[in-house]
Structures are given as C-alpha cells and as structure tokens.
Amino acid sequence: MKNLLLTSCLAITSLVGFSQTARVQVIHNSADPAAKFVDVYLDGALLLNDFKFRTATPYIDAPAGTPITISVDDAIANFTYTLTEGDKYVVVANGVLDPGAFAANPDGVSTAFNLFVRNEMREEALDAANLDFVFFHGSTDAPTVDAIARGVATVVDNAAYTAFTDYVSVPADKYIIDVTPGDVPSLIVASARAFLDGAGGASAVIFASGFFDTALNPGGKSLKLFYALP
C-alpha cells in the first residue's frame, strides 16, 4: 500500500472560526487523465488549488449546521450537504468526466464523476494496538471485490464500486493484501504489501484506485491500493 502525500493548502486555514464545525478529509481518486489536477471550491471560495490525483488533505474544520456546497472545477460536480456538528467525514472525488469514453462498470454502477461521502469517520483507532480502516471501492471498471489479508482473513467482503465498508480493526502488523473479484477469490487482480507494525492507534481510508483494464481506459493508471491517514 502507498501512503498519500498530504496536500499543502493555505486556503484550508480560512475555514476555522465557525461557531459550529465538523471535521472533513478530501481524497482525489478520479483516475480520468483529464482530471489529474482539479480545483475544489467550498461555497464558491477556492479550497484546494491543483488538487492532484491520489493525494489527500488532512482533516480540516468545515462549517456545520448549514448547507454547504462543494464544487469541482467550475461545476464538474456539485455536492450540497449539511454537516452535523462534531461529526467527521471523508469526501472522495471519483469517477470519469465522460463515461462513454471509458469502460463501463460491470455491475452497472454509474461511473460519472461525483463526490462520495461517508460520515462517522475516525482520526485514530479505538485501540492503540490496532489499525482501524474503512475501505472505498474507487475503481470504475472493476467488479465487486474482496480484500484478503493473505493467510489471515478476508477483511473486505463483496464491496461494489463506490461502496464504503464499515470499520475494520486489525492488529498493527505486516500484511500482504490481495484484491480479488467477489465471485472469484482465486483471481488476484492487485496486491500490496502493508507494513503496519508501527501503525498502532492509527486510522486510515484504504481505497482501490485506477483502472482494472487500462487497455480499455486509454491513458489511465492501473489498479492499485492506496491509503490516506488523517
């Protein structure tokens, strides 16, 4: 697995100071080459400039209790949401700008560029000896998948494209993680070494990133696993 670089964005600091706030992390996981860099706006104000594919922000304070609009590159995508005070969210930018130019999802899920949100996130593990993580399936042309800690257990079971899993807690150790189609567990489509023996007490978002078949998705990056820490 590969740790994402955190974006350095001074505009983030301007969000602090609201009477009600929630915590938000943003991950750019759109494998469309045309969206390699995007700008992200919060209520019309620039939040992230040239936000790069496979990078993530740290958690930031965002206004809660009132509708906010997150926009990407002059309305490539608009997402209006009212955050709950004190809650924690991850927002994943995912999908492709022109679905007709890329391979369809085999389960029939729309691959159009969108923002996908999960609340009740964690900035640290519940147990200092464990790593807590959620998994997000962000590979547009990949089928429903499992993630298996080789020789240990299935840690993600039947995750469809755009799905977030519930939290999984694993001992902080070294693993090889295999991604397989949900109905063909013997077919490994991606693997990653996860050296987590020093990650006790941490929390992460692990996500499938890139295209399952790059021949059908010209210019796109191949399927790999990445993770973002808080």
Side-chain angles (χ1 to χ4, degrees):
M1 267 179 253
K2 300 184 178 181
N3 188 8
L4 296 182
L5 297 174
L6 298 181
T7 59
S8 176
C9 181
L10 298 178
I12 288 175
T13 61
S14 67
L15 298 181
V16 179
F18 291 91
S19 59
Q20 297 185 69
T21 59
R23 299 281 285 166
V24 178
Q25 180 179 46
V26 184
I27 298 172
H28 180 356
N29 193 43
S30 170
D32 187 332
K36 182 177 180 179
F37 293 93
V38 298
D39 294 336
V40 180
Y41 297 83
L42 177 65
D43 283 342
L46 182 64
L47 174 64
L48 297 167
N49 182 51
D50 287 340
F51 190 29
K52 188 178 180 181
F53 174 50
R54 290 176 172 168
T55 60
T57 70
Y59 274 87
I60 61 173
D61 290 322
T66 185
I68 60 172
T69 299
I70 301 174
S71 304
V72 180
D73 271 5
D74 297 326
I76 285 176
N78 287 296
F79 184 87
T80 300
Y81 203 85
T82 300
L83 305 178
T84 299
E85 182 179 10
D87 204 349
K88 298 179 181 182
Y89 299 81
V90 63
V91 178
V92 182
N94 217 92
V96 294
L97 305 184
D98 180 5
F102 295 88
N105 179 264
D107 297 321
V109 183
S110 172
T111 61
F113 188 97
N114 209 337
L115 302 178
F116 300 92
V117 179
R118 188 193 191 280
N119 70 331
E120 297 183 343
M121 297 299 295
R122 300 173 188 170
E123 292 189 64
E124 58 186 20
L126 299 181
D127 185 325
N130 290 341
L131 171 78
D132 291 359
F133 70 88
V134 296
F135 177 83
F136 175 76
H137 184 338
S139 178
T140 53
D141 66 327
T144 295
V145 298
D146 294 342
I148 302 168
R150 190 180 298 179
V152 181
T154 297
V155 291
V156 174
D157 187 29
N158 287 331
Y161 173 60
T162 73
F164 287 98
T165 66
D166 293 331
Y167 266 98
V168 177
S169 296
V170 296
D173 205 340
K174 296 179 181 179
Y175 300 94
I176 297 177
I177 306 297
D178 296 320
V179 177
T180 71
D183 57 350
V184 189
S186 61
L187 177 61
I188 297 173
V189 298
S191 293
R193 290 181 174 86
F195 298 109
L196 305 174
D197 43 326
S203 180
V205 179
I206 298 175
F207 53 97
S209 176
F211 295 111
F212 178 64
D213 188 345
T214 53
L216 297 177
N217 298 279
K221 297 292 187 180
S222 60
L223 174 60
K224 294 182 179 180
L225 292 181
F226 283 76
Y227 68 89
L229 296 171

